[in-house]
Amino acid sequence: MASDDPGFAYIPRKSNGETDHVPVNEPPIAPDQFNREYETTKREIWAYYAYYVGNNGLALFNFAPTAFQNLLSEAAGSAGTIRFAGSERTVNSTVLVCNGISFAIQIVIFLVIGSYADFGSSRPNVLIVLSIVAFGIGFGWLGVHTSDKWEVAAGMYIVGLIAYQTTLTFWTAAFPGLARNTPELRVKAEEYVSGVITRDQYDYADTLERSRLANVAFYVQSCGEIVILTAIVGVLYAIHVRASEANNNYGLSVLIAFATGVWLLLALPWFILEKRRPGQPLPPNMNIVMVGYWQLYRAMTQMWRLKQSLIYLIGYFLLGDSLNTTVTVIATLQNEIVEYDTLKLTYLLLVGIAAQAVGIYTFWFIQRRFCFDTKTMFNAVVVGIIFLDGWGVIGIWTQRFGFHHVWEVWLYQTVYGLFVCPWYSYSQIMISEVTPRGKEFLFFSLFSIVGKTSSFIGPLVSSAIIDASGGNNSTPFYFLFGLTLASAALLVLFLDLKKSRLEQEKFLEKEALLREKMRENATASGSASGRRMS
């Protein structure tokens, strides 16, 4: 059942009222873990997966940027540049600037409404509202497919990316509650409480359950995305996208709307079946907006007491920025290489998503088969990211290799799907690994804001590098390769999850003692007040 304050550890008491000083060994119980009302059902889990299949990024993350870049390219003409944000910019530089603006706005939005993901029970309602905004943008692209509307396309791209990322974040916020309330993990927690299994055995079961939910969600999404893309191919042939440039432009808008319609249909089960698990109660004298700033300050100050969590936070900031920008830069290069051919881009995505499904299943199978921990699997993903940026660096000096040829983008989709896409599940699992129990809301919020902050820096820096180089669209890989190597060294060499668990236990013990001291002070104050009254 829900506790009064999930931010503090529970204090067991002896029958004589003294504190039993064993908080380090206290069973790791989430606030709602033993309430049968909130037990995760199979229908709820599959509804959770279905939303992710719909919110696959095809509409607003994959094809909307392509449609925007395509219209920019036509508007730029033979000059190859366009006036945007006070300067003459190349098409790729303009896309990166819009990407950075989008993420900068997201930071402000999350500071204002991010606390709804953590406090009270309004998170599902916020997700529904944000999803409706995303649906509107997706269908709105049907009216934007000519170069004279590139400014409108820029606005729709920025707002659409905000809607996509915010819905994904509020959907992800349900993950800890789902994992901790599965019947399997509840049984393990009961076994731990009764002494049948050890803390290490419980921790491994907890890790495995979180890995299972995250990886299966990603795998199901990949399989569903293949089906959607196959249907899209049929739609594109039906409207004859290769008959003319105008048909190709319109085809991009149609498939954005089609993918949005699928998202709408698949979102409905989650809107209906999600259990409204209680979040944290609002602290005294705070409203839902103020608590977001208070929560961020509290998480940042507490992070200094958790050195391993801080290491991952810094690494997550750097590597997340590098990967997000790398994917955007390669996407702009890919669009130019295939000349915005809608069918070819769809086929490329089919290959990429199929590789993604194989990759995530393989990672999950290897982890189960050989009992590897989350850190080992995460390190393997980091190697894949280093390879991508190294590949791009070569393309700065030569046209023979480095994202300049059609065969390279086919290979890229395969490599990215097999070895890099597991980042999107394992990076989230790693957050939960370095988060003290009962602090999930607090730390997921901090990592979310940090992720959004990092995601606008890389695109703006990369855009400036392209402009300074005279239009060489591969030059951002200088910056990205160095950033990836630095963050990889930090995470691979210095992050230790075993040390993190020990730090978390000590952290919770100090929190428990603090809570007990607060209770004693409150009791003493009440007694003194009573004596004055008498």
Side-chain angles (χ1 to χ4, degrees), residues 143-297:
V144 182
H145 47 83
T146 54
S147 60
D148 61 304
K149 294 181 179 177
W150 72 266
E151 289 110 330
V152 178
M156 292 183 67
Y157 168 59
I158 291 171
V159 177
L161 195 56
I162 293 170
Y164 166 71
Q165 294 285 356
T166 52
T167 53
L168 203 57
T169 299
F170 275 84
W171 170 84
T172 303
F175 165 66
L178 282 178
R180 291 279 165 79
N181 284 280
T182 56
E184 295 82 2
L185 200 57
R186 178 179 55 78
V187 170
K188 289 295 183 183
E190 290 171 345
E191 288 176 350
Y192 175 38
V193 170
S194 60
V196 175
I197 62 174
T198 65
R199 171 63 181 269
D200 286 342
Q201 289 173 315
Y202 177 85
D203 283 340
Y204 180 70
D206 189 12
T207 295
L208 208 61
E209 185 64 19
R210 281 183 269 123
S211 294
R212 182 183 71 84
L213 273 180
N215 287 324
V216 172
F218 203 7
Y219 178 73
V220 169
Q221 186 219 48
S222 300
C223 294
E225 206 167 343
I226 291 173
V227 175
I228 296 168
L229 283 167
T230 303
I232 283 174
V233 170
V235 172
L236 294 178
Y237 271 108
I239 60 177
H240 308 289
V241 291
R242 285 181 168 168
S244 67
E245 186 177 89
N247 280 24
N248 185 71
N249 294 353
Y250 183 60
L252 281 169
S253 295
V254 168
L255 65 82
I256 293 170
F258 179 83
T260 300
V262 174
W263 180 5
L264 171 59
L265 291 175
L266 292 176
L268 294 177
W270 178 241
F271 293 160
I272 296 169
L273 296 176
E274 182 187 5
K275 294 185 177 180
R276 303 297 180 103
R277 295 177 179 86
Q280 297 185 71
L282 281 173
N285 304 318
M286 284 195 185
N287 58 43
I288 196 68
V289 175
M290 287 176 56
V291 76
Y293 296 94
W294 170 80
Q295 181 177 237
L296 179 61
Y297 169 78

Side-chain angles (χ1 to χ4, degrees), residues 5-8 31 114-115 117-119 173 176 279-281 283 286 290-306 313 431-432 434-450 507-508 511:
D5 185 355
F8 289 90
S115 52
D118 304 336
F119 292 88
Q280 297 185 71
M286 284 195 185
M290 287 176 56
V291 76
Y293 296 94
W294 170 80
Q295 181 177 237
L296 179 61
Y297 169 78
R298 187 171 170 225
M300 292 180 68
T301 54
Q302 292 184 2
M303 185 67 76
W304 295 104
R305 296 156 58 188
L306 297 161
L313 179 68
I431 295 175
S432 62
V434 299
T435 298
R437 300 185 187 280
K439 299 280 185 176
E440 288 84 6
F441 298 116
L442 196 65
F443 278 68
F444 264 85
S445 177
L446 175 62
F447 275 90
S448 177
I449 291 173
V450 165
F507 175 84
L508 291 175
E511 286 280 291

Side-chain angles (χ1 to χ4, degrees), residues 371-448:
C371 299
F372 289 145
D373 61 14
T374 303
K375 174 71 185 308
T376 300
M377 307 308 296
F378 181 79
N379 288 347
V381 177
V382 171
V383 173
I385 300 173
I386 293 172
F387 176 78
L388 278 189
D389 285 318
W391 184 353
V393 165
I394 296 173
I396 298 173
W397 306 307
T398 177
Q399 293 293 312
R400 298 176 63 185
F401 185 77
F403 303 115
H404 297 300
H405 305 281
V406 173
W407 67 266
E408 285 187 281
V409 295
W410 288 103
L411 181 59
Y412 158 70
Q413 289 292 345
T414 304
V415 171
Y416 178 70
L418 288 174
F419 302 109
V420 178
C421 278
W423 156 270
Y424 299 104
S425 61
Y426 280 101
S427 63
Q428 296 300 308
I429 299 167
M430 286 288 288
I431 295 175
S432 62
E433 290 278 6
V434 299
T435 298
R437 300 185 187 280
K439 299 280 185 176
E440 288 84 6
F441 298 116
L442 196 65
F443 278 68
F444 264 85
S445 177
L446 175 62
F447 275 90
S448 177

Side-chain angles (χ1 to χ4, degrees), residues 78-90:
S78 58
T81 61
I82 200 161
R83 187 79 179 174
F84 184 77
S87 301
E88 285 291 325
R89 303 179 185 274
T90 66

